[in-house]
Amino acid sequence: QSAEKNEEIKLSDIPDQAIEKADDKVIQKLKARGIAVSTVSQNSNYLSINFIAVDAISEKDLDLLEPLRKQIIWLKLGNTKLSDQQIDMISSLSALTRLSLERTSITDKGILALQKLTSLQYINLVGTKVTAKGLAQLKALNKLEKIFLYQTSITGTDWNELKKTFPKAMI
């Protein structure tokens, strides 16, 4: 059983308000690029987008996400060549509650753009170059509950400070 299957889906992870259905043409373009698109639950128009089969993400790929910014709540970009320069586009996806950036080239500079994601509850930064100082830039995101930081530039001495910065989060 994969770790992803063990990650339980709580109803609180899915926004209460109803949202209109996403544009099928945009979804088909994403799928044609090998990007997995699925609804987060059976009777929901909210979407989970996973770049699992896409190694090199282009600006065009990220531009395709923009028309779906109200519907995308889970975005998985792990194990891709996503860079700090590309992360600006992600900051416009204001409905995001989960963001997976593990093993990407993201640094503290890229993290700064994520401050706009006020609905964010979960972020995975495993295997990135993010430091405690960079992560602290997200301290205003008061819904952040889970922060994954294994194999980052964050040291043991940073933990206590991070726990103070994110008192509600599981780090």
Side-chain angles (χ1 to χ4, degrees):
Q1 202 175 21
S2 73
E4 205 167 285
K5 291 274 187 244
N6 288 336
E7 247 183 69
E8 65 184 71
I9 297 171
K10 297 182 301 197
L11 287 176
S12 63
D13 288 351
I14 301 168
D16 291 334
Q17 63 271 32
I19 194 80
E20 65 269 11
K21 196 171 180 324
D23 185 336
D24 281 331
K25 288 178 187 157
V26 178
I27 290 174
Q28 289 313 315
K29 285 179 186 174
L30 286 167
K31 288 181 175 179
R33 271 287 289 134
I35 299 164
V37 180
S38 59
T39 56
V40 294
S41 70
Q42 199 169 358
N43 298 315
S44 176
N45 288 327
Y46 286 105
L47 298 174
S48 173
I49 307 287
N50 191 339
F51 279 71
I52 193 162
V54 181
D55 182 38
I57 297 173
S58 71
E59 296 296 326
K60 200 172 175 185
D61 293 333
L62 295 174
D63 287 344
L64 285 173
L65 300 179
E66 215 283 326
L68 307 176
R69 72 184 176 285
K70 291 179 185 173
Q71 289 88 3
I72 299 172
I73 60 169
W74 300 346
L75 181 59
K76 295 183 178 188
L77 294 160
N79 299 302
T80 63
K81 292 185 171 73
L82 184 76
S83 67
D84 286 337
Q85 290 73 34
Q86 295 172 311
I87 209 157
D88 259 356
M89 173 45 230
I90 294 162
S91 69
S92 72
L93 304 175
S94 57
L96 275 186
T97 60
R98 292 185 183 191
L99 181 58
S100 297
L101 299 171
E102 69 275 9
R103 290 177 284 288
T104 60
S105 301
I106 297 304
T107 68
D108 293 350
K109 184 180 172 193
I111 291 292
L112 186 61
L114 302 179
Q115 290 177 325
K116 298 175 192 167
L117 301 177
T118 55
S119 297
L120 204 61
Q121 299 171 17
Y122 167 112
I123 190 165
N124 187 336
L125 297 166
V126 169
T128 62
K129 293 184 174 92
V130 173
T131 68
K133 186 178 176 186
L135 186 61
Q137 298 174 118
L138 301 182
K139 68 181 171 215
L141 302 183
N142 57 9
K143 293 182 181 175
L144 207 49
E145 295 173 355
K146 293 183 180 169
I147 306 168
F148 294 89
L149 299 169
Y150 182 66
Q151 294 177 332
T152 60
S153 298
I154 295 170
T155 64
T157 55
D158 296 326
W159 288 109
N160 286 337
E161 199 55 44
L162 285 175
K163 285 182 181 184
K164 286 179 200 164
T165 305
F166 302 98
K168 294 191 314 184
M170 180 195 84
I171 302 175

